[in-house]
Amino acid sequence: KAGVTQTPRYLIKTRGQQVTLSCSPISGHRSVSWYQQTPGQGLQFLFEYFSETQRNKGNFPGRFSGRQFSNSRSEMNVSTLELGDSALYLCASSRTSGGLNEQFFGPGTRLTVL
Amino acid sequence: EDQVTQSPEALRLQEGESSSLNCSYTASGLRGLFWYRQDPGKGPEFLFTLYSAGEEKEKERLKATLTKKESFLHITAPKPEDSATYLCAVQLNAGGTSYGKLTFGQGTILTVHP
């Protein structure tokens, strides 16, 4: 069974630009969660999508947004990039949204903002 | 704010030297506690789910246990290939605010020397 895939794996952008990251969940998984990982803050929850609906959102500014498509693939977008947005962005998929939520992570997208 | 604390921050072991990693959490209403392994530049790899006090799970040289507010990851006779960052995460029983959200500890960096 194929795992979670994320594209692109690496991105370099400059301040003020915007970026879109993509995540394809494990087949049959309908929930996709996004996390930001930095050395200082560790892994922090951004948001979760299930059946094309955002069901939960973490404590991040509105510049961070996402969506989910009918095939459960998800994208996240960051607008007006800041230097502090440099991080590893991870997506994780799970079968369901409520209930025990075993999440399986992709390899991440490494974003560098210059 | 709900917290997950892992200790020690870093652990150096000789090959074959058994030890334990600790994860404690402050929140009430635990739905599940998860252990992950993360290698440099990669996404976290799922290891175990625990959801009731007294539960134990084993996989090769690893055994995870759960008490009321703590979990331990025991590593028996570790090998150099067990070197990685071990992350603990909790999912709370908090209705909509817990959908798809795992709260992570900062991790324990394990180094096993041959």
Side-chain angles (χ1 to χ4, degrees), chain A residues 66-79:
Chain A
R67 58 178 176 167
Q68 187 180 35
F69 303 94
S70 59
N71 61 358
S72 295
R73 191 177 69 84
S74 178
E75 290 181 345
M76 69 163 279
N77 184 79
V78 189
S79 62

Side-chain angles (χ1 to χ4, degrees), chain B residues 37-113:
Chain B
R37 167 194 170 128
Q38 186 174 27
D39 292 299
K42 296 189 176 182
E45 174 191 345
F46 174 79
L47 292 173
F48 302 110
T49 304
L50 302 164
Y51 55 91
S52 59
E55 192 175 1
E56 297 184 352
K57 294 270 179 79
E58 281 189 72
K59 180 180 178 179
E60 296 179 0
R61 295 177 292 282
L62 300 176
K63 182 167 86 171
T65 61
L66 181 64
T67 65
K68 269 201 164 181
K69 287 292 190 183
E70 280 184 306
S71 178
F72 293 91
L73 185 66
H74 309 278
I75 303 175
T76 302
K79 298 182 177 183
E81 53 261 41
D82 294 322
S83 298
T85 296
Y86 290 84
L87 295 163
C88 162
V90 301
Q91 182 190 2
L92 301 180
N93 215 356
T97 62
S98 69
Y99 288 154
K101 178 181 178 182
L102 299 184
T103 302
F104 281 84
Q106 292 286 51
T108 293
I109 302 170
L110 175 67
T111 306
V112 182
H113 296 283

Side-chain angles (χ1 to χ4, degrees), chain A residues 9 33 35 37 40-43 45 48 55-56 90 97-107, chain B residues 31-32 34 36 38 41-44 46 49 51 87 91 96-102 104-106:
Chain A
R9 293 294 313 279
S33 296
Y35 295 84
Q37 186 175 29
Q41 299 297 317
L43 269 143
F45 174 75
E48 188 247 7
R55 301 197 78 191
N56 200 4
L90 293 158
S97 178
L100 195 61
N101 204 228
E102 291 181 345
Q103 295 185 4
F104 297 88
F105 283 82
Chain B
R31 172 159 281 160
F34 307 88
Y36 288 87
Q38 186 174 27
K42 296 189 176 182
F46 174 79
T49 304
Y51 55 91
L87 295 163
Q91 182 190 2
T97 62
S98 69
Y99 288 154
K101 178 181 178 182
L102 299 184
F104 281 84
Q106 292 286 51

Side-chain angles (χ1 to χ4, degrees), chain A residues 1-18:
Chain A
K1 203 177 199 179
V4 178
T5 58
Q6 292 187 245
T7 56
R9 293 294 313 279
Y10 303 92
L11 266 177
I12 299 175
K13 293 285 187 179
T14 56
R15 279 180 301 174
Q17 288 187 309
Q18 75 160 15

